[in-house]
Amino acid sequence: MSNTFTNSVFKPSFRLALLASAVSVAFSGSLYAQEESSEVDGNERIESITVTATKRAQVIYEVPIAISAFSGEALASQGISDLTDVGKFVPNLNVTGFSAGHTSSANPFIRGIGLQDHLITTDPGVSVYVDGVYLGRQVGQNWNLNNIERIEVLRGPQGTLYGRNSIGGAINIITKQPDNEAVTKVGVEAGTRGRIKGDVFVNRALSDSLSFNFNAGYNARDGLGEFINVPDAEYDVGETKDLYTRLSVKYAPNTDFSLVLTADANDGEGGLRPYTTLIDEVPTGAYYTGMRFGAPTPSGPLRNSDLAPDIYDNATGTKEVTTVSNEASGLSITADWSLTDTLTTKTVVSHRTSEYKAGLDDDATIYALDHYPERGDADQTSIELQLNGYYDEFDFVSGIYWFNEEGSNRQGEDSSFNGGGNLLELDQETTSRAVFVNMGYGVTDDLRISGGLRYTKDEKHATANVGIGPFTSEDDWSELSYELSASYTLENGLNVYGTVQSGYQSGQFPARPYCLFGDPECFVASENITAVNYEVGLKGQVTDNFSMSVALFNTEFEDLPYQVSTTSEGGFDTSNLVVEQTSRGIEWESTLYFTDNFKLHTSLGYMDVDVSEQDGVKPVAPLTPDLTASISPSYEFELSGGATISTRVDYSFRSEMYGEPSSDPGRLTEIDSRELVNFNIAYAPAKGDWTVSLYGTNIFDERYDNARLNTGDYILRVLSNDASEFGVRFKTEF
């Protein structure tokens, strides 16, 4: 289906979708993706899910923050396999991909906070954790979401319990722990666009005290275009191939002690992400005029006609940028020990390594003008020691934390800027230390108050070389983060809460400091970022048929750096535009059971972001839609003999946004809204141990932009790798 037809016919359906969501708000509720369904005596349909968002086990309705949780079963039924898919169904969450054209990159933005870059001197504003281990780098990790116990998306600053780099929120990925159940799961998938996927999960008990589980898989998908000027390119544009594995071993000699050792690894390769460059749209730029900084460019004037006729093809002549790759591995040890009936300790020790190869040819033509093949790596080690417990009506979580990361990025050997040499060498070591405590007190059976403090000290030592010798700089920051909340259970069982919470992010050195050519003192870090969030909410199960969650928030950020990229005399320069920002909005999630077999999930998020004026210009938050929505009806047919057919449709919407901190229409960086529709039809026999499904993702083939960047010389338009796909899934368990 052509994009023109999709825009003209399908776009108006959003009005119907919004109306349906409003009807759901008026007549129903329930935390979308935050509960599992069950039927007890024909009445109880909704069973609330237990989460660990506050580093203690709580029913999700009792957690005094805005949170969405996906159980492993929900992930499987929706065909969610990565964080990009998660970002389609959570209010005020947008997950994009950029990161030097890598197909495995996932950059989450929550409530207007995120990062579209990946270089070692930058830090994301939304933290990602796997089994309590913070992932310092997201490009190269490519975490697979098969056989996951649960995913939790925490919205708003989480500085007290999650520390630095969680000023927008945090995403927790919780894997399945080994237990004594003997189970083997096998899944295979085949579909259009060359989709081939296989996955196996094995859980076994080796003895009364020792068990393990093992997960391994392969996932491949064809590309969307060809490298028309590189006939011997190994992969097509957007093609992906990934191998992944994870092994966990659990030793639990008694009920008071357990030790879990987990090792994981992934290895992926593929073709450069689809993108194109707009040249004619910037007639004053160097590509169009053939002049840059008073001197002619080696290739002379370029035009859009020099690009590939199909925007999903690529006309680069630089073979080095056509292939991307990623490798990561990790080892973690988690020990839980009950010292007494009321006092426990927890230790999480982890070491991870990751590396990637990527890079763009910015002119996207056969001419060797601006192309930047790139490699990067990172090694991180973290240790967290917790002491947790409760006494009468008091409970607490406390601990100390240490994190160290060393990483580098390299451009140069195969790189080119303005037809000549180009060099970018970045190295950085980060050390973070923290101590934290969070306490709760049950004032009455219905009223609970809690509060917490976290003191963090960060140190960074960075070196940059852009071709005129290495420049070294170091800095340190410290911050006291806090949280205070109260929750009250109403007579109807709903929980109302109010929270004040702060977050913190250490300062950042410039990502591409070609400013050094004119200002040798420019390689300095920004100030630390602080965020304070004021939030009230209401959530819980109202009846057997529905439950609901609504949150209103106001978050104030100080010293928030926006990335601004331009071409400078030395190269492609990225600097920080430091702003003050206020994000305010509302979030709704719901589920309604019309009958035992028919239910409807909805989510809706609206946000208004106000950014302080800079030199008479009012910036906007990049890659931040003001409206997000999803609607997911599902129906189960019961056949004679006991077999079932389960049907599900998932619709998601993200409104217009800007690819950079400017809403100037003349810069052409506005990104159109998008509407995506998936479906899944599954058949399960009455007494069988298998399921077969027909699925479709992005069934109307909605093509959309992930990012847009105006450098002053050209506009870089990064395209989604998310075309329509139809296929068959088969799963069996024994």
Side-chain angles (χ1 to χ4, degrees):
M1 180 177 294
S2 71
N3 198 40
T4 301
F5 179 82
T6 302
N7 289 338
S8 62
V9 175
F10 189 57
K11 289 292 185 186
S13 67
F14 175 65
R15 296 185 180 92
L16 298 178
L18 193 57
L19 177 61
S21 184
V23 170
S24 176
V25 170
F27 292 101
S28 69
S30 172
L31 300 170
Y32 168 72
Q34 294 185 6
E35 59 277 312
E36 297 168 334
S37 61
S38 64
E39 187 172 335
V40 180
D41 298 330
N43 294 318
E44 190 79 18
R45 293 190 178 100
I46 300 173
E47 178 184 355
S48 58
I49 192 171
T50 298
V51 298
T52 53
T54 58
K55 298 198 175 182
R56 53 170 73 83
Q58 289 179 283
V59 175
I60 194 168
Y61 305 137
E62 300 173 351
V63 180
I65 57 175
I67 175 175
S68 301
F70 294 76
S71 68
E73 290 77 10
L75 295 171
S77 68
Q78 290 182 255
I80 292 176
S81 60
D82 56 31
L83 290 182
T84 300
D85 290 334
V86 173
K88 299 171 183 176
F89 303 105
V90 176
N92 288 329
L93 170 62
N94 179 47
V95 179
T96 185
F98 189 39
S99 300
H102 209 296
T103 50
S104 76
S105 176
N107 307 99
F109 284 71
I110 296 179
R111 294 182 176 178
I113 297 298
L115 179 75
Q116 63 177 335
D117 214 328
H118 63 286
L119 295 180
I120 194 65
T121 54
T122 65
D123 288 316
V126 175
S127 57
V128 177
Y129 286 80
V130 178
D131 292 334
V133 175
Y134 171 66
L135 301 183
R137 300 295 119 188
Q138 291 166 20
V139 64
Q141 298 286 352
N142 198 26
W143 192 263
N144 188 275
L145 300 184
N146 281 342
N147 294 301
I148 297 295
E149 181 70 28
R150 188 173 68 257
I151 292 180
E152 303 170 357
V153 181
L154 290 61
R155 301 187 294 279
Q158 307 296 325
T160 304
L161 288 174
Y162 290 90
R164 56 192 286 272
N165 301 340
S166 58
I167 58 173
I171 299 175
N172 287 335
I173 302 172
I174 298 98
T175 67
K176 293 183 178 180
Q177 281 202 6
D179 55 32
N180 292 328
E181 182 182 6
V183 61
T184 299
K185 299 179 181 180
V186 177
V188 294
E189 182 178 310
T192 59
R193 201 182 160 188
R195 171 72 75 186
I196 297 293
K197 184 177 181 180
D199 186 86
V200 61
F201 174 80
V202 178
N203 189 95
R204 291 289 188 277
L206 301 176
S207 68
D208 291 341
S209 60
L210 191 64
S211 57
F212 79 95
N213 63 34
F214 173 76
N215 175 220
Y218 173 75
N219 190 10
R221 182 174 62 174
D222 289 345
L224 290 175
E226 299 179 351
F227 295 101
I228 60 176
N229 291 321
V230 186
D232 57 341
E234 186 174 1
Y235 297 100
D236 286 338
V237 176
E239 184 177 357
T240 59
K241 292 183 179 180
D242 294 292
L243 285 166
Y244 51 90
T245 184
R246 183 173 69 250
L247 173 66
S248 292
V249 179
K250 184 175 183 178
Y251 174 64
N254 51 58
T255 58
D256 293 330
F257 179 79
S258 68
L259 183 71
V260 178
L261 174 66
T262 300
D264 68 85
N266 68 67
D267 188 350
E269 277 197 351
L272 182 65
R273 172 181 289 275
Y275 73 96
T276 190
T277 301
L278 306 182
I279 299 171
D280 294 6
E281 288 79 358
V282 189
T284 59
Y287 287 179
Y288 193 96
T289 65
M291 297 291 293
R292 177 178 276 169
F293 311 115
T297 62
S299 60
L302 300 179
R303 296 291 182 269
N304 286 344
S305 57
D306 293 306
L307 304 168
D310 185 335
I311 61 173
Y312 286 91
D313 288 333
N314 195 299
T316 183
T318 306
K319 184 179 180 180
E320 290 78 10
V321 302
T322 61
T323 299
V324 301
S325 64
N326 60 277
E327 294 182 23
S329 61
L331 184 68
S332 67
I333 300 174
T334 302
D336 289 275
W337 187 13
S338 296
L339 303 177
T340 68
D341 291 341
T342 62
L343 200 62
T344 64
T345 65
K346 184 175 185 177
T347 302
V348 182
V349 181
S350 173
H351 179 74
R352 298 196 63 82
T353 65
S354 63
E355 61 182 56
Y356 71 90
K357 174 186 177 295
L360 295 178
D361 179 352
D362 278 19
D363 59 88
T365 69
I366 196 172
Y367 304 107
L369 185 58
D370 294 334
H371 54 264
Y372 309 102
E374 177 182 306
R375 295 181 180 273
D377 62 80
D379 292 286
Q380 69 169 67
T381 302
S382 63
I383 302 173
E384 182 168 336
L385 306 176
Q386 294 181 17
L387 178 65
N388 311 320
Y390 65 91
Y391 294 96
D392 295 328
E393 301 303 323
F394 284 95
D395 63 85
F396 69 92
V397 175
S398 64
I400 58 176
Y401 178 76
W402 180 83
F403 172 86
N404 178 264
E405 178 189 57
E406 295 185 42
S408 67
N409 306 103
R410 292 291 184 268
Q411 296 176 6
E413 181 179 350
D414 304 313
S415 298
S416 174
F417 173 69
N418 207 32
N422 175 78
L423 182 69
L424 176 64
E425 296 180 348
L426 293 175
D427 296 271
Q428 181 173 279
E429 180 179 6
T430 298
T431 301
S432 181
R433 303 174 181 87
V435 57
F436 62 91
V437 61
N438 185 278
M439 301 184 65
Y441 176 66
V443 181
T444 68
D445 290 342
D446 297 324
L447 176 63
R448 184 178 189 273
I449 60 174
S450 64
L453 294 172
R454 185 186 188 105
Y455 177 77
T456 306
K457 184 174 180 60
D458 292 328
E459 300 173 356
K460 290 184 178 181
H461 184 280
T463 301
N465 187 355
V466 294
I468 54 176
F471 289 78
T472 298
S473 186
E474 59 184 31
D475 210 335
D476 62 82
W477 305 263
S478 61
E479 188 70 29
L480 182 66
S481 303
Y482 59 88
E483 179 260 342
L484 180 64
S485 65
S487 60
Y488 184 79
T489 303
L490 303 174
E491 290 185 2
N492 60 3
L494 292 180
N495 189 280
V496 60
Y497 71 88
T499 297
V500 179
Q501 54 193 162
S502 71
Y504 155 75
Q505 186 173 26
S506 57
Q508 302 180 42
F509 292 97
R512 298 167 185 82
Y514 290 100
C515 57
L516 288 168
F517 279 91
D519 180 10
E521 305 297 326
C522 77
F523 191 60
V524 295
S526 60
E527 294 295 325
N528 59 298
I529 308 163
T530 58
V532 180
N533 181 52
Y534 305 89
E535 181 172 310
V536 294
L538 178 69
K539 56 180 164 179
Q541 185 172 331
V542 181
T543 71
D544 291 342
N545 295 343
F546 68 93
S547 58
M548 52 76 65
S549 171
V550 62
L552 295 103
F553 64 90
N554 185 92
T555 314
E556 299 172 356
F557 301 90
E558 292 186 4
D559 297 314
L560 180 66
Y562 286 167
Q563 286 190 314
V564 178
S565 296
T566 59
T567 52
S568 66
E569 187 170 356
F572 188 89
D573 183 81
T574 301
S575 58
N576 292 325
L577 174 67
V578 179
V579 303
E580 293 183 3
Q581 173 180 309
T582 300
S583 301
R584 57 183 68 90
I586 184 170
E587 296 163 346
W588 166 271
E589 300 182 87
S590 71
T591 300
L592 168 65
Y593 271 85
F594 291 99
T595 68
D596 289 345
N597 296 334
F598 180 33
K599 61 182 177 180
L600 176 70
H601 292 291
T602 66
S603 74
L604 184 65
Y606 173 76
M607 184 169 55
D608 175 63
V609 180
D610 183 40
V611 185
S612 59
E613 192 172 284
Q614 299 281 328
D615 298 325
V617 177
K618 197 170 183 62
V620 297
L623 298 173
T624 300
D626 59 10
L627 187 63
T628 61
S630 71
I631 301 176
S632 299
S634 60
Y635 191 88
E636 183 175 288
F637 298 87
E638 297 179 355
L639 306 180
S640 59
T644 60
I645 295 178
S646 302
T647 62
R648 182 185 182 104
V649 176
D650 290 297
Y651 165 89
S652 69
F653 173 81
R654 296 295 181 266
S655 65
E656 297 86 355
M657 65 192 93
Y658 292 91
E660 62 179 15
S662 173
S663 59
D664 180 358
R667 294 187 62 82
L668 300 177
T669 59
E670 183 177 10
I671 297 173
D672 290 339
S673 63
R674 58 178 177 264
E675 297 175 277
L676 305 176
V677 181
N678 304 336
F679 76 81
N680 191 80
I681 303 173
Y683 171 81
K687 297 181 180 180
D689 53 9
W690 56 271
T691 302
V692 62
S693 305
L694 298 176
Y695 74 88
T697 60
N698 191 6
I699 62 175
F700 295 101
D701 200 22
E702 176 91 334
R703 303 296 179 94
Y704 56 93
D705 293 354
N706 269 159
R708 281 197 174 208
L709 187 67
N710 190 327
T711 70
D713 281 339
Y714 53 91
I715 299 170
L716 193 62
R717 181 185 175 192
V718 181
L719 307 169
S720 71
N721 200 29
D722 189 18
S724 64
E725 182 182 326
F726 301 88
V728 179
R729 297 188 182 107
F730 176 82
K731 297 181 180 180
T732 184
E733 179 177 333
F734 51 90

